Amino acid sequence: MEEFMFRENLSAMARERLGESEIAEMITLVLENGAISFGAGEPSHDLFPKEGIREAFVDAFDDPDIWGYYHDSYGDTGLRAWIAERMGLDSMAPAWVAPEHVLLTNGGGEAVSLVSEALIDAGSVVLVESPTYTETLLTFRKQGAVCALVPSDDDGLIPEEMERILARLRARFLYTIPNFQNPSGRTSPVERRKKILEIARRHDLAIVEDDPYHYLSYDGAAPESYLRLAGDDKRVIHCNSFSKTLAPGLRVGWAIVPPALASVFEPLRVSAGLGRPALVQKAVHAYLGGIDFSMRIAGLCSEYKRRRDVMLEMIARHLSPLGIRTNVPKGGFFIWAQVPADTREDFDSGAFAKHAVTAEKIGVIPGNAFYPEKTREGARAFRLSYAKIKTDDMEEGVARLARAWNAFA
Amino acid sequence: MEEFMFRENLSAMARERLGESEIAEMITLVLENGAISFGAGEPSHDLFPKEGIREAFVDAFDDPDIWGYYHDSYGDTGLRAWIAERMGLDSMAPAWVAPEHVLLTNGGGEAVSLVSEALIDAGSVVLVESPTYTETLLTFRKQGAVCALVPSDDDGLIPEEMERILARLRARFLYTIPNFQNPSGRTSPVERRKKILEIARRHDLAIVEDDPYHYLSYDGAAPESYLRLAGDDKRVIHCNSFSKTLAPGLRVGWAIVPPALASVFEPLRVSAGLGRPALVQKAVHAYLGGIDFSMRIAGLCSEYKRRRDVMLEMIARHLSPLGIRTNVPKGGFFIWAQVPADTREDFDSGAFAKHAVTAEKIGVIPGNAFYPEKTREGARAFRLSYAKIKTDDMEEGVARLARAWNAFA
């Protein structure tokens, strides 16, 4: 019997808008080559609060509500109240944000996915930072968005560049990772955020703020969020996650849903398999209720800052002399490396990354993984993550990268 | 400051295709009125294997893979292997189904949601049973599907009626709940399934088989699945769930993804928040590894069959004399009640259900909750669930329903 190939049965989404992940490909190469990796954009396993979470599950099992269909498809009311309160205390949320606006999701990625369904039609223009997070680009492309790149510098989005784009294009929303951005490590200062908000108001632009690195700010709190700065304007949908502060395997994230969108997100959640597991949400809530969250954050920041500092030192020793330019992230996991201006015109960091992982056994993610399509900018940059790597391995890793550069460029 | 209302920023999905759930509204009325409920389509809390699952979580915590981003976005490989093997043993899967084809989801509803993304464009025709499951209708509508109702009788889909529709319409797929259907309780005999498959082959029609009640077959195994009957044809996407056999709060379901769609479902899963929590999947796997699943199923069937029998007895006593026609489900949770042919033409089971819950404190779900739009058929039917109700309450509940009928009809 001939196999049915679904040729005439696929959606435009399935036929035209999905594709392989360049990051997944690099991670596979890292594993195959037994390489040191500056590739993985994930938190460090030795920092997961394993014992605390395990004990919190014992408490969660005492709750009879974990077994049936949870009555509220937005998720566990206790965790939602914790999030609303904490975001208020930490200058992340304005006064109107209450537990009823907190929608629990399968990590921050699902929050972005729900937002995409609510705001994107095929052909809709969405503004994104240049560069931006790979999986979000896939999520937007899946819905048929045309992603317009807003030029960015070491301080993130450039407001004037955004205004210039909006003068000729109508866009549905701006997607921004304002703090310690993935992949660039960049943070937008509060003055720029205010300018961006003001431009958004003039152009009826919604803002989707994806802020999973918020709490990993090494020197004092991160700048005020777009959500908070917008206040009663309520044009910001804020997406966040416990993946970086607790552990990604829990798959607990959230969105702050503005009141005008409540009637949209409720059926979107129901139509994709009802709520997410209340047991896990209740365990996260029980864990958070039993610790000093600020202390936990301080511990994480201190360790990640130490790793960043060692990484920067190694970069100064091995890469800077080669003319490779890197920034100094004030938090998070990522450094953005750009090749010298006089590098040959046909240089491609994708080919470089493949050479580095196979010949020198060091993994980095090529810049174009973070652009909707191949760009010269992306071909001349790559992402370095220092979150997960032992500081002992950093010098060896950076030295390998320098050798790969010398052989390839 | 004026609140931003997202008026020009919403997708067609958000503007036109979402809506309130008639079931949610009835459940709220049941709670507000302290009513006995034949409404909730969920399994009985006293049958959840609470202790066993709780212990299985202890085992799952021993696995270091639960904390980070799980390497396989399809989910825990152990549980996927269990599912593939069990489906083979139980005549649900043909020989080609291997662990690599099993995609773990947030309940069966998310499996249907992923299928919708893969196969539906705005305006695509999808064939559904008449009536069919409410949340699936929302999921299909969300993607812009036009649902064409295939007339059904006590044996489910009528193949000749489906063929008649396909003679004038091109459809992407048939969605069917072949066993103990929600809401009708109907089961398609294997001869009809074979006819349906043969028609599907002639019309390049895919089949989406949603089979969460499969194991709740009271007298011997459920008929062979469409997935199995299709064999190497591989046109069937099978969706299933542990919600009815273990507990819905775990939110673990799955899809069997045909090889031709592997490259579609992988990015669909990644783009909606990566995998679902491996911890929960591993706990479910640990639980299943420690029990005799057939024994568990036998216990469930025996209890649900007992409840059905009491329910049918009460119906024979109180509703049949009124001319209300009900079927005899061979498994699952549901009975479909149809009003007498001579009931007044403007009878509406929606209004009847509201009267019943407020005046007599008995909840049922009106038929039109299970149709894409209001139909005469739906207005003259309602769903009765006996899964969750104590048999002691059944006589009182059915008697109340009879009183409500006498007052209303």
Side-chain angles (χ1 to χ4, degrees), chain A residues 359-377:
Chain A
E360 298 289 348
K361 305 203 183 308
I362 177 67
V364 301
I365 307 294
N368 270 326
F370 307 100
Y371 290 83
E373 43 200 53
K374 303 254 182 247
T375 59
R376 181 177 185 276
E377 205 176 308

Side-chain angles (χ1 to χ4, degrees), chain A residues 277-310:
Chain A
L279 168 69
V280 180
Q281 297 167 356
K282 282 176 191 287
V284 167
H285 184 220
Y287 171 73
L288 292 167
I291 64 159
D292 181 334
F293 187 67
S294 302
M295 284 281 289
R296 169 156 180 84
I297 294 303
L300 290 177
C301 286
S302 146
E303 177 56 25
Y304 284 124
K305 184 182 185 179
R306 188 179 75 81
R307 296 184 194 194
R308 178 203 63 179
D309 289 343
V310 175

Side-chain angles (χ1 to χ4, degrees), chain B residues 52-237:
Chain B
I53 298 274
R54 186 198 286 255
E55 285 161 24
F57 267 85
V58 176
D59 294 340
F61 270 111
D62 288 341
D63 192 318
D65 280 355
I66 60 173
W67 298 101
Y69 291 103
Y70 197 68
H71 50 89
D72 194 327
S73 64
Y74 266 40
D76 177 60
T77 44
L79 181 56
R80 291 162 60 202
W82 187 93
I83 290 169
E85 187 188 354
R86 185 80 211 191
M87 286 183 74
L89 291 173
D90 292 336
S91 299
M92 286 169 83
W96 64 263
V97 172
E100 71 194 83
H101 306 112
V102 182
L103 165 62
L104 300 181
T105 56
N106 189 83
E110 203 200 20
V112 173
S113 172
L114 291 167
V115 169
S116 302
E117 292 189 313
L119 301 184
I120 299 174
D121 285 309
S124 298
V125 174
V126 172
L127 304 183
V128 299
E129 284 148 347
S130 172
T132 192
Y133 177 49
T134 312
E135 259 80 43
T136 294
L137 287 172
L138 171 60
T139 302
F140 290 171
R141 189 172 70 231
K142 183 179 89 169
Q143 294 300 130
V146 176
C147 288
L149 294 165
V150 182
S152 306
D153 60 20
D154 282 355
D155 283 339
L157 285 167
I158 302 172
E160 295 71 23
E161 296 281 356
M162 185 169 109
E163 179 111 57
R164 227 159 41 86
I165 293 171
L166 287 170
R168 56 185 174 84
L169 280 179
R170 159 89 190 124
R172 290 277 170 93
F173 63 90
L174 164 71
Y175 171 79
T176 176
I177 305 170
N179 296 309
F180 330 120
Q181 197 232 22
N182 184 357
S184 70
R186 295 165 179 164
T187 300
S188 299
V190 77
E191 297 69 32
R192 280 208 180 175
R193 298 182 193 208
K194 286 179 179 168
K195 276 189 197 164
I196 295 278
L197 266 171
E198 192 269 319
I199 297 168
R201 284 192 194 109
R202 274 190 281 112
H203 290 272
D204 277 343
L205 189 75
I207 294 179
V208 177
E209 173 175 52
D210 192 6
D211 201 13
Y213 307 99
H214 185 96
Y215 282 109
L216 301 183
S217 180
Y218 305 155
D219 306 296
E224 244 181 308
S225 68
Y226 280 100
L227 178 67
R228 172 96 160 201
L229 290 167
D232 288 340
D233 180 28
K234 303 183 187 171
R235 75 177 57 241
V236 178
I237 309 176

Side-chain angles (χ1 to χ4, degrees), chain A residues 1-6 8-15 17-21 41-43 45 48-51 53-55 57-58 61-62 64 66-70 106-110 112-113 116-121 133 135 138-139 142-143 170-173 200-201 203-207 230-237 243-244 247-251 258-261 263-268 270-280, chain B residues 1-6 8-15 17-21 41-43 45 48-51 53-55 57-58 61-62 64 66-70 106-110 113 116-121 133 135 138-139 142-143 170-173 200-201 203-207 230-237 241 243-244 247-251 258-261 263-268 270-280:
Chain A
M1 186 177 295
E2 207 186 335
E3 182 180 346
F4 185 69
M5 297 306 290
F6 293 85
E8 307 295 321
N9 303 64
L10 294 179
S11 63
M13 188 187 283
R15 276 184 285 114
R17 302 180 196 153
L18 305 172
E20 292 298 300
S21 159
E42 63 175 280
H45 283 231
F48 297 150
K50 297 183 184 178
E51 268 318 301
I53 299 275
R54 186 198 288 255
E55 285 161 24
F57 268 84
V58 176
F61 271 110
D62 289 339
I66 59 173
W67 297 102
Y69 291 104
Y70 197 68
N106 189 83
E110 203 201 20
V112 174
S113 172
S116 303
E117 292 189 311
L119 301 184
I120 299 174
D121 285 309
Y133 177 50
E135 259 80 42
L138 171 60
T139 303
K142 183 178 89 170
Q143 294 299 131
R170 161 87 190 124
R172 288 277 171 93
F173 63 89
R201 283 190 195 110
H203 291 271
D204 278 342
L205 188 75
I207 294 179
D232 288 341
D233 181 27
K234 303 183 188 171
R235 73 177 58 240
V236 179
I237 309 175
S243 292
K244 279 75 187 179
L250 297 167
R251 311 306 303 125
L261 298 179
S263 66
V264 171
F265 278 75
E266 172 75 25
L268 284 180
V270 168
S271 71
L274 309 171
R276 272 45 195 160
L279 168 69
V280 180
Chain B
M1 186 177 294
E2 207 186 336
E3 182 181 346
F4 185 69
M5 296 307 288
F6 292 84
E8 307 295 321
N9 303 64
L10 294 179
S11 63
M13 188 187 282
R15 275 183 286 113
R17 302 179 196 154
L18 306 172
E20 292 298 300
S21 157
E42 62 177 279
H45 282 231
F48 297 151
K50 297 184 182 177
E51 268 318 302
I53 298 274
R54 186 198 286 255
E55 285 161 24
F57 267 85
V58 176
F61 270 111
D62 288 341
I66 60 173
W67 298 101
Y69 291 103
Y70 197 68
N106 189 83
E110 203 200 20
S113 172
S116 302
E117 292 189 313
L119 301 184
I120 299 174
D121 285 309
Y133 177 49
E135 259 80 43
L138 171 60
T139 302
K142 183 179 89 169
Q143 294 300 130
R170 159 89 190 124
R172 290 277 170 93
F173 63 90
R201 284 192 194 109
H203 290 272
D204 277 343
L205 189 75
I207 294 179
D232 288 340
D233 180 28
K234 303 183 187 171
R235 75 177 57 241
V236 178
I237 309 176
S241 164
S243 292
K244 279 75 187 180
L250 298 167
R251 311 306 303 122
L261 297 180
S263 66
V264 170
F265 277 75
E266 172 73 26
L268 284 180
V270 168
S271 71
L274 309 172
R276 271 45 195 160
L279 169 67
V280 181

Side-chain angles (χ1 to χ4, degrees), chain B residues 224-344:
Chain B
E224 244 181 308
S225 68
Y226 280 100
L227 178 67
R228 172 96 160 201
L229 290 167
D232 288 340
D233 180 28
K234 303 183 187 171
R235 75 177 57 241
V236 178
I237 309 176
H238 180 99
C239 302
N240 218 313
S241 164
F242 290 110
S243 292
K244 279 75 187 180
T245 52
L246 303 183
L250 298 167
R251 311 306 303 122
V252 181
W254 70 92
I256 303 298
V257 179
L261 297 180
S263 66
V264 170
F265 277 75
E266 172 73 26
L268 284 180
R269 162 48 81 235
V270 168
S271 71
L274 309 172
R276 271 45 195 160
L279 169 67
V280 181
Q281 297 167 357
K282 281 176 192 287
V284 167
H285 184 220
Y287 171 73
L288 292 168
I291 63 159
D292 180 333
F293 187 67
S294 302
M295 285 280 289
R296 169 156 180 83
I297 294 305
L300 290 177
C301 286
S302 145
E303 177 57 24
Y304 284 124
K305 183 182 187 179
R306 189 179 74 82
R307 295 184 195 192
R308 179 204 62 179
D309 289 343
V310 176
M311 189 75 176
L312 288 175
E313 195 187 325
M314 296 309 142
I315 286 172
R317 190 173 305 168
H318 297 283
L319 296 187
S320 305
L322 303 174
I324 294 171
R325 184 184 179 285
T326 52
N327 58 337
V328 178
K330 294 174 187 145
F333 297 167
F334 305 110
I335 292 170
W336 190 239
Q338 292 168 291
V339 305
D342 62 356
T343 306
R344 59 186 162 79

